[in-house]
Amino acid sequence: MPTLPLPGKSGSRLLLGLCLLASLIALVFLTSRLSASDVEADPDAIGSGTLMLRGKGAATAMPAMRLGTDMNVTVSGQIARVRVTQAFRNSGDQWMEATYLYPLPDDGAVDSLKMVVGQRVIVGRIKRREEARALYEKARDEGRKAGLVEAERPNLFRNSVANVGPGETVLIAIEYQAPVRQLGGEYALRLPLVAGLRYTPAQTPVADAANVTAPIAHPKLGKALNPVSITVHLAPGFRPANLISPYHRIAVQHDGAEAQSIRLADGEVPADRDFELRWRSASADPTVGLFRQTLDGDAYLMAAITPPTREPDGPVPPRDMTFVIDNSGSMGGQSMDAAKASLLYALGTLRPQDRFNIIRFDDTMTKLFEESVAASPEQIALARRFTEGLEANGGTEMLPALNAALEDRTPQDGRFVRQILFLTDGDISNEKEMMATIAAKGGRSRIFMIGIGSAPNEYLMRRMAEAGRGTFTNVGTGEEVAARMTALLDRLTAPVVRDLKVKVDGADLDLTPRRLPDLYAGEPLVLLGKGKALTGRLTVFGLIGDRPWSQSVDLSSAKDSPAVARLWASRRIADVEAARWAGETDDATADEAVAQIGLAYSLVTSQTSLVAVDETPARPEGAMLTREELPLLLPAGWDFDVLFGGQATRTAAGRSAQGDLPPAGEAEAMTLPQTATGYVGLIGQGMALLALGLGGLALRRRALRRERLA
């Protein structure tokens, strides 16, 4: 039996080319056949066409679901009512489920959900978190439209919408209220628009860390992703003046002597930085704000009382100041510049009688000095060189730096006022551990949080400052460093209003917060109360320096407001969480207390959610459903290359639930073969090898024929 000759080099090339071509044809075929069932088989897979891993890496393709957001805000007195309408439009050809991680004020109270489908409006209901999730998933699986709002953190909410058909738009409208901030006679409304990546420490796994991260859009997708429009109706109860928006251009229309309408001058803007509006009173700075509401037979009170500002009677006592600066990867870009400038400014205010130290941290930590040193010119010069040499890189291991800053080797030394200034964006997922540490180890230290950048984690900042009896300041841009740091450092030299107590004559009020804070210059005491009637007088007592101070208000003079009851409930939840951090209550008791408040006041909390379900099936039987998590823009000022390039950072975006860290760039995002893998080029290579192999085989056959003829 004749035998065929073994293939030579040309034959090997032919076989290799055929194998490559066959493999790539199979890959393309399988890719085109990928269905929603394939996505659902992987609990982390959330998209079609993009197939991004949930909460990991950078999105490099435009999602099928597009999002547009409109915010309509009404400010009445010192309370803001905000309606956020999000339009989810399916630009693809499959039935879609979309989820979007959305930031809200940490003291906001979300109480309303409406889902608009065509001409129908479906109103959401408050349920326990597990029940709401079950109702949503049942409706989703049965092909009915459904909307769900869940609180992942007090300032991070997740909106989900199921069964949006091809070419269809579904509106999800949520409403919340929040108090207007007041400090030093200036009022401020802040609307968070974007959430930064959250880091999870390896030694402290956070069970729900994946829930507080989202894909980040690659800069090549452009700023048209997730546009937002904002309108503010401002009626503070007095004629506002010095109206400014430091991070966005605005257009102002006067609606009367004491009312104005403010819109974004550019119409729509990218959701890549928080919006802030500031104003003052054109006449005098109000010292008392009283608001009331009657709901279900109960009376609710909100009182904002600002003590007078007093200059120090004598010399300011020496300070022992510890500066903690975050130089992790999330601080890359403008945030690092602003943090360094803020620290350099603070170093310039130290006096010879002061002591100081600097702690810098990423996923490592360095103390400039073993312990605090005198603020001599030589030591300050060394500190300035140390600060100027800092570069952003690595993960955000904040807890070791906090522990180091709280270490007090001389707790009985009353000669120095011990102050800790923390400069960070606060983008971590283990916030509870930070607050618990302050509650356990705070001692005589006072903690002042300086939120750096365009979208800091205000929940962490404010709660750490409250637990540490300090204040929170935001430095949004480098241009704000001098003004913001000057105001903060001036407050630190003024007498503190301490030993505060409250007395109510003529009414029995359940007041919150239960732990009254110390107050700094220009900072109001905001009290929320619940009782059967608002009669009599409320008096606040305290010490300014060593002098007694008190202020009394007539409760009957309070103005009506529809928002006070839920603000009281929201603040009561904060009291429950503070008791949890301090170890005064166990998790089960705290969770149940939060759930009961959420159900009673229709609030979205860690234990309750809002769910809206359409009773009519919309998705045809047999049609697949694809889940997609919409990417966020990177907060303005963050450096994309530092976050995702090379070995730059170890963020939560690259960490599994167990805390393992793949190298940056590995498994952070998975896309179907497009351009990065060059599958068209591989097919071309296969075709070239195929042609080369065929040519070689032809030459081989000619040679064999010549041999036979010979």
Side-chain angles (χ1 to χ4, degrees), residues 237-535:
F238 52 81
R239 187 161 60 89
N242 299 338
L243 195 66
I244 60 171
S245 172
Y247 315 127
H248 295 83
R249 296 193 313 116
I250 57 173
V252 180
Q253 176 182 334
H254 294 277
D255 296 334
E258 295 186 353
Q260 295 177 336
S261 293
I262 298 96
R263 290 179 172 80
L264 295 175
D266 297 323
E268 290 183 344
V269 298
D272 65 351
R273 70 196 70 197
D274 294 348
F275 173 85
E276 187 167 305
L277 187 68
R278 303 174 191 162
W279 65 92
R280 288 182 175 272
S281 170
S283 52
D285 292 333
T287 58
V288 177
L290 281 178
F291 304 91
R292 67 185 175 196
Q293 180 184 6
T294 300
L295 181 67
D296 297 333
D298 290 318
Y300 295 85
L301 171 76
M302 175 179 169
I305 302 172
T306 305
T309 301
R310 290 185 182 175
E311 297 296 326
D313 294 333
V316 177
R319 298 168 296 175
D320 185 346
M321 304 189 76
T322 299
F323 303 100
V324 185
I325 183 168
D326 178 355
N327 69 294
S328 63
S330 67
M331 295 284 289
Q334 296 175 15
S335 294
M336 194 72 247
D337 294 338
K340 289 162 65 173
S342 298
L343 178 49
L344 291 170
Y345 187 91
L347 289 172
T349 67
L350 291 173
R351 305 161 302 166
Q353 62 266 39
D354 294 331
R355 298 189 310 200
F356 80 103
N357 202 352
I358 297 177
I359 300 172
R360 67 106 218 134
F361 71 93
D362 44 38
D363 48 15
T364 62
M365 185 187 75
T366 302
K367 293 174 68 174
L368 180 57
F369 307 109
E370 182 59 28
E371 57 184 27
S372 296
V373 299
S376 66
E378 295 78 16
Q379 302 290 34
I380 291 177
L382 175 61
R384 295 182 71 88
R385 291 194 298 272
F386 176 80
T387 302
E388 290 165 350
L390 293 176
E391 294 182 359
N393 202 355
T396 313
E397 296 281 352
M398 190 182 295
L399 186 59
L402 176 62
N403 277 312
L406 290 175
E407 184 180 355
D408 187 359
R409 298 183 181 181
T410 57
Q412 305 304 321
D413 188 352
R415 295 173 301 163
F416 293 85
V417 177
R418 200 166 195 277
Q419 299 173 336
I420 298 172
L421 275 67
F422 229 107
L423 299 104
T424 178
D425 56 20
D427 282 310
I428 58 174
S429 59
N430 61 322
E431 295 103 329
K432 292 181 180 178
E433 191 175 23
M434 302 295 291
M435 267 77 80
T437 299
I438 296 174
K441 302 179 181 179
R444 64 187 179 116
S445 301
R446 297 181 184 272
I447 299 175
F448 301 87
M449 302 301 297
I450 304 170
I452 301 293
S454 59
N457 182 357
E458 289 201 30
Y459 165 60
L460 175 72
M461 302 290 184
R462 295 194 190 280
R463 295 300 182 264
M464 284 183 66
E466 285 181 5
R469 297 175 301 161
T471 61
F472 164 65
T473 300
N474 176 229
V475 178
T477 64
E479 291 77 12
E480 290 189 308
V481 167
R484 290 302 207 180
M485 291 302 294
T486 297
L488 171 62
L489 295 168
D490 285 348
R491 285 199 298 274
L492 300 194
T493 62
V496 175
V497 184
R498 56 187 175 85
D499 297 339
L500 284 168
K501 297 179 178 61
V502 178
K503 177 183 178 184
V504 180
D505 294 317
D508 183 16
L509 290 180
D510 180 4
L511 291 170
T512 180
R514 290 180 173 172
R515 291 188 183 91
L516 296 181
D518 293 341
L519 300 178
Y520 291 82
E523 185 181 14
L525 173 65
V526 179
L527 295 169
L528 289 149
K530 174 185 177 182
K532 290 301 179 182
L534 295 182
T535 57

Side-chain angles (χ1 to χ4, degrees), residues 610-660:
L610 277 166
V611 60
V613 174
D614 190 355
E615 297 303 324
T616 306
R619 175 163 49 93
E621 187 175 353
M624 295 299 181
L625 181 69
T626 301
R627 185 168 185 263
E628 184 170 65
E629 180 159 4
L630 304 188
L632 304 176
L633 294 179
L634 199 66
W638 285 36
D639 191 310
F640 187 88
D641 293 330
V642 169
L643 282 172
F644 293 105
Q647 301 294 324
T649 188
R650 296 159 66 187
T651 67
R655 182 183 298 278
S656 75
Q658 288 73 33
D660 55 311

